[in-house]
Amino acid sequence: MDTKNRHAIGRREFLKRLGAGAAVSTAALAGCAPERGPAADGTSASGEIPTDAMTFRINPRTGEKVSLLGYGCMRWPTVGGDGPDADEIDQETVNRLVDFAIAHGVNYFDTSPAYCKGQSERVTGIALKRHPREKYFIATKLSNFAPSTWSREASLAMYRNSFRELQVDYIDYMLLHGVGMGGGMEEFEARYIRNGMLDFLLAEREAGRIRNLGFSYHGDIRVFDRLLAGHDRYRWDFVQIQMNYLDWRHAREINPRNTDAEYLYGELAGRGIPAVIMEPLLGGRLSKVHDHIVARLKQREPGRSVASWAFRFAGSYPGVLTVLSGMT
């Protein structure tokens, strides 16, 4: 990075933030490659993983202790390989992965009706149902992306199906999914405003069937700004944003539709809204960086994995509630 560029993060600040931030437990990183699973003896390449080393953040509204590393359930292992059963989820392995994560302090599990071709909520619900309800928080989404799901009736059906698939009578963290993507403001209006679904979800939170209400942001900054401008009415409990050390000030260089995470996080922190972080590894790219960068990071802390620097960057910000792993 060019340190003279006003959009660059200085090397000293970068290392300071990573080094001083709350460390993410090694156990949680097992969630980054779920198809491999934990070793049978509970060890990893870095040695035995402690079960009492998780860092927790406090939800300022509810007082809940949320693991700083959350489990993203967008990818689950399958049993079919490349054959006709390639899309069948391996429930036994999912159960083992969830058990391992919970045993090591992970308590936030993020899923959606759209993940794993519609199977993620079901298999995640089966795995979590085997544990006491107070041991975990479930985050899911109203993922009404297709125009055929924009009607109130279709959106309500999707919402109610999430309860059935997850086998719960309340959702801990419910999100409007992917606001700002696709058709921007017009699509947002169709998905959540004109059909009355945002008002419905606000009422569901009031009734206790939703414990925390938020949204995940992708794309059109006008939608993000509009939702935050309405914070006095909506009282967002959290917002999910893409954040990593490249997106912090270089998001638009990666994709012109993206927004710098520095702006997104700053707007949330200024209002006291906790941030949930997606893409801390930028789709896995920050786990495989150039050799000269690896050498510099290893010189600083030889025992740290390259991926851990990205997780620790995101987790070092005090307004972050949890950082999602799970993408391979």
Side-chain angles (χ1 to χ4, degrees):
M1 295 183 185
D2 179 4
T3 56
K4 295 180 180 179
N5 188 322
R6 67 182 180 89
H7 292 298
I9 300 175
R11 175 176 177 271
R12 180 178 298 176
E13 174 60 23
F14 174 73
L15 295 174
K16 176 182 177 183
R17 180 160 292 283
L18 287 170
V24 175
S25 103
T26 310
L29 295 178
C32 294
E35 71 279 3
R36 291 193 302 271
D41 61 356
T43 62
S44 73
S46 59
E48 187 169 349
I49 299 171
T51 59
D52 59 353
M54 180 57 68
T55 297
F56 293 89
R57 291 281 169 82
I58 304 299
N59 180 321
R61 188 180 68 83
T62 65
E64 297 164 343
K65 292 176 62 178
V66 179
S67 57
L68 183 54
L69 191 128
Y71 208 133
C73 304
M74 188 175 179
R75 303 281 188 269
W76 281 127
T78 58
V79 298
D82 296 326
D85 298 323
D87 293 331
E88 181 184 347
I89 305 298
D90 185 343
Q91 186 68 61
E92 182 179 347
T93 300
V94 171
N95 291 350
R96 287 194 301 111
L97 290 165
V98 167
D99 292 350
F100 187 80
I102 289 178
H104 291 81
V106 177
N107 66 7
Y108 188 101
F109 293 84
D110 173 270
T111 182
S112 158
Y115 294 166
C116 301
K117 298 185 178 180
Q119 301 179 79
S120 179
E121 284 185 321
R122 177 176 53 81
V123 298
T124 303
I126 290 171
L128 288 173
K129 186 70 173 179
R130 299 156 50 253
H131 295 269
R133 185 65 177 90
E134 67 274 10
K135 284 284 189 179
Y136 55 86
F137 302 112
I138 291 178
T140 194
K141 308 170 182 76
L142 184 55
S143 306
N144 54 350
F145 297 122
S148 61
T149 64
W150 291 356
S151 70
R152 182 179 179 86
E153 293 73 18
S155 293
L156 284 173
M158 179 180 291
Y159 170 77
R160 289 167 177 155
N161 190 59
S162 290
F163 285 81
R164 289 190 291 270
E165 295 282 72
L166 291 166
Q167 303 182 58
V168 295
D169 55 10
Y170 65 90
I171 302 293
D172 299 286
Y173 291 82
M174 172 61 72
L175 298 92
L176 317 184
H177 195 179
V179 303
M181 65 188 303
M185 187 68 76
E186 173 60 26
E187 184 172 313
F188 166 73
E189 292 271 356
R191 292 174 60 193
Y192 296 116
I193 303 301
R194 291 197 292 269
N195 60 10
M197 283 307 297
L198 181 50
D199 287 336
F200 170 79
L201 295 175
L202 291 169
E204 287 290 278
R205 181 177 62 182
E206 190 68 24
R209 287 180 286 274
I210 294 172
R211 300 295 172 87
N212 298 273
L213 181 63
F215 62 89
S216 64
Y217 164 71
H218 301 257
D220 193 332
I221 192 60
R222 295 177 303 158
V223 183
F224 179 86
D225 289 342
R226 172 178 167 176
L227 291 176
L228 288 197
H231 180 49
D232 287 346
R233 176 190 174 196
Y234 301 133
R235 294 183 292 109
W236 301 113
D237 299 301
F238 69 109
V239 173
Q240 187 165 305
I241 59 172
Q242 180 166 315
M243 190 170 104
N244 52 68
Y245 57 73
L246 284 185
D247 279 316
W248 185 247
R249 290 181 181 170
H250 295 270
R252 290 181 60 81
E253 297 170 30
I254 299 169
N255 185 332
R257 283 183 55 84
N258 288 350
T259 305
D260 287 348
E262 182 181 38
Y263 174 80
L264 301 175
Y265 176 82
E267 291 296 298
L268 297 177
R271 293 171 172 83
I273 303 173
V276 171
I277 304 306
M278 57 185 167
E279 294 289 355
L281 289 174
L282 196 57
R285 281 172 283 182
L286 298 185
S287 65
K288 298 178 181 179
V289 298
H290 292 297
D291 289 345
H292 73 279
I293 298 176
V294 173
R296 179 170 291 185
L297 297 180
K298 290 296 185 181
Q299 183 181 28
R300 173 82 176 192
E301 292 190 57
R304 300 286 189 182
S305 71
V306 173
S308 77
W309 287 84
F311 278 100
R312 286 184 290 140
F313 175 85
S316 69
Y317 286 85
V320 168
L321 186 64
T322 189
V323 181
L324 298 177
S325 71
M327 295 296 288
T328 60

